[in-house]
Amino acid sequence: MNKNYYAVLMAGGVGSRFWPISTSENPKQFHDMLGTGDTLIQKTFKRLNRFIPTENILILTNNRYNDLVLEQLPLVKQEQVVLEPAMRNTAPCILYAAMKIQKMNPNAVMIVAPSDHWIEDEVAFAKDVTSCFEKCEQDDVLCTLGVKPSFPNTGFGYIEYQKAGETSIKKVDQFLEKPNYETAKEFLAQGNFLWNAGIFMWSVNTIVSAFKEYQKAQYDLFNAGMDYYNTDAEANFIKENYPKAENISIDYAILENSKSIYVLPASFDWNDLGTWGSLYDKLTKDNNNNAVVNSKVISQDANGNMIRSTKNKVVVVDGLNDYIIVDKEEVLLIYPKSKEQDIKQVLNTVKNTFGDEYA
């Protein structure tokens, strides 16, 4: 394995659209959502560990998930868990991790990857990331992986790239917010738009320089701690200074400003597993087109349902079509798949009515 290859695995999200399985105390990345025997963070770690040395994989997460990370990833040492003392979106934590890696190895190239995505072809994933790493080692650029759209999805951001050029890695023209359906159809018709998968690669020197140019205040805040990073003094510096960081995403902070961004159309299938419906799409279905996890199901006139229980419970369903049915110890959710985007609001209602212990 290349000792200059590093990974930052983003594992701080709450995943509220997967409630009631995903909660603020135990979010979706720490659950076996697919019924494979591995949690999502375990699958992601193994995928990266195919071509990135174990000790070069950092886990970026919230303080409250430290014990969960160490429990589920026994190969990871405490110093590889980068803890955020406050929620400040993706830009500050990526800069913080990049500076830690830069101090360890100024020749490093790094991937920033979410911990909760579904990628089946791990060989193709490794090949694509390595291609981007090689580009980042040669040129002062920021790279991302884009997913070829299979339908006009309105739930993803898009990347427009330049069609010209013989190379597979294309120059990015712009990042676009989630479009309406008609706009998404136009994107697909033009043929040079990709879904934004939120997977980024760059050299540590390039990303730190980009922050220095486009986010000077953030750069100065974290650069002041360079002497402390990877020492016993780091925790106190971060505890005091991290909450001062601006709450801003990497997209707004850097990607929408930089003129040196490139995208590689991914050669693998991808799903962000953002909702119960997206999980349903990726699971094997039974004879009635129901997707079943951790359950023994008897169904009658019940089709297209997402069914999950705890402890392999027997679930009997009659007369329900296209529903999310999730049974957990203290919560039972029976909800139309067509309204899955409203589960966040349902969660808030439950919290306000019955208390935070159900969230």
Side-chain angles (χ1 to χ4, degrees):
M1 290 189 190
N2 191 320
K3 68 181 188 306
N4 291 333
Y5 288 0
Y6 285 75
V8 174
L9 206 157
M10 307 279 281
V14 173
S16 55
R17 286 178 295 178
F18 272 108
W19 183 82
I21 296 299
S22 181
T23 65
S24 57
E25 289 302 315
N26 195 358
K28 68 171 179 173
Q29 58 268 29
F30 301 109
H31 290 277
D32 177 9
M33 300 301 298
L34 295 155
T36 63
D38 281 331
T39 64
L40 294 178
I41 194 172
Q42 288 169 334
K43 286 187 73 69
T44 305
F45 184 88
K46 289 176 181 178
R47 185 185 310 133
L48 293 166
N49 204 197
R50 293 172 70 102
F51 60 101
I52 294 175
T54 302
E55 65 275 14
N56 289 4
I57 302 176
L58 303 185
I59 315 299
L60 203 53
T61 192
N62 192 274
N63 273 331
R64 65 164 78 172
Y65 307 137
N66 182 64
D67 291 346
L68 275 172
V69 168
L70 294 174
E71 176 188 321
Q72 295 201 3
L73 302 176
L75 296 178
V76 167
K77 299 187 174 97
Q78 179 65 68
E79 57 264 29
Q80 291 170 251
V81 186
V82 183
L83 299 172
E84 305 168 79
M87 301 289 272
R88 286 294 180 273
N89 216 313
T90 52
C93 60
I94 288 172
L95 175 60
Y96 171 30
M99 284 185 163
K100 279 176 64 67
I101 295 170
Q102 186 181 42
K103 190 175 179 184
M104 295 179 213
N105 181 353
N107 297 316
V109 289
M110 59 185 277
I111 176 173
V112 177
S115 61
D116 52 5
H117 287 181
W118 176 91
I119 294 170
E120 188 167 298
D121 190 343
E122 298 189 343
V123 173
F125 172 79
K127 182 174 177 290
D128 286 354
V129 173
T130 302
S131 295
C132 289
F133 275 170
E134 291 169 354
K135 172 80 171 173
C136 295
E137 286 178 319
Q138 294 165 5
D139 302 315
D140 187 18
V141 298
L142 307 171
C143 282
T144 185
L145 294 176
V147 177
K148 299 165 189 171
S150 53
F151 67 100
N153 195 318
T154 59
F156 298 143
Y158 283 72
I159 302 168
E160 181 183 5
Y161 64 88
Q162 295 178 7
K163 293 180 180 178
E166 298 299 316
T167 60
S168 57
I169 301 178
K170 303 294 187 180
K171 183 86 163 54
V172 170
D173 274 337
Q174 60 177 329
F175 289 82
L176 297 115
E177 295 295 315
K178 299 172 183 177
N180 60 35
Y181 184 71
E182 290 304 317
T183 304
K185 284 204 298 185
E186 291 174 13
F187 288 170
L188 266 65
Q190 289 185 47
N192 61 324
F193 286 79
L194 302 167
W195 289 337
N196 183 359
I199 301 171
F200 307 108
M201 291 123 308
W202 38 57
S203 74
V204 289
N205 294 328
T206 297
I207 190 61
V208 170
S209 295
F211 270 95
K212 188 175 182 179
E213 181 174 357
Y214 301 115
Q215 296 288 322
K216 187 67 163 56
Q218 294 266 39
Y219 169 83
D220 289 342
L221 177 67
F222 285 95
N223 190 54
M226 190 59 86
D227 289 343
Y228 306 121
Y229 296 149
N230 311 325
T231 74
D232 291 341
E234 177 181 340
N236 283 336
F237 173 83
I238 288 299
K239 183 179 179 182
E240 180 181 346
N241 290 281
Y242 197 93
K244 301 174 187 175
E246 183 184 357
N247 189 341
I248 186 172
S249 71
I250 192 71
D251 302 68
Y252 285 120
I254 302 299
L255 301 179
E256 293 194 1
N257 292 304
S258 175
K259 303 296 187 289
S260 301
I261 304 179
Y262 287 77
V263 63
L264 175 63
S267 62
F268 52 84
D269 285 339
W270 167 91
N271 192 300
D272 75 334
L273 292 185
T275 65
W276 285 111
S278 64
L279 178 62
Y280 171 87
D281 290 341
K282 287 303 168 193
L283 291 170
T284 303
K285 314 301 188 295
D286 66 12
N287 292 335
N288 293 312
N289 213 28
N290 298 310
V292 179
V293 178
N294 294 345
S295 307
K296 299 171 183 174
V297 172
I298 296 174
S299 61
Q300 180 75 32
D301 296 326
N303 298 278
N305 298 299
M306 173 70 235
I307 303 169
R308 180 188 171 114
S309 69
T310 53
K311 300 179 181 174
N312 220 18
K313 190 176 288 186
V314 172
V315 180
V316 181
V317 186
D318 190 337
L320 276 184
N321 297 304
D322 299 317
Y323 266 72
I324 300 162
I325 303 165
V326 181
D327 184 40
K328 197 182 171 186
E329 291 87 352
E330 69 282 7
V331 177
L332 171 63
L333 176 74
I334 304 171
Y335 206 73
K337 272 196 327 203
S338 61
K339 295 173 65 178
E340 64 175 7
Q341 296 293 341
D342 296 338
I343 288 178
K344 275 188 177 183
Q345 284 75 26
V346 172
L347 172 57
N348 288 331
T349 302
V350 170
K351 284 165 60 176
N352 293 335
T353 307
F354 301 113
D356 288 348
E357 64 266 32
Y358 297 101

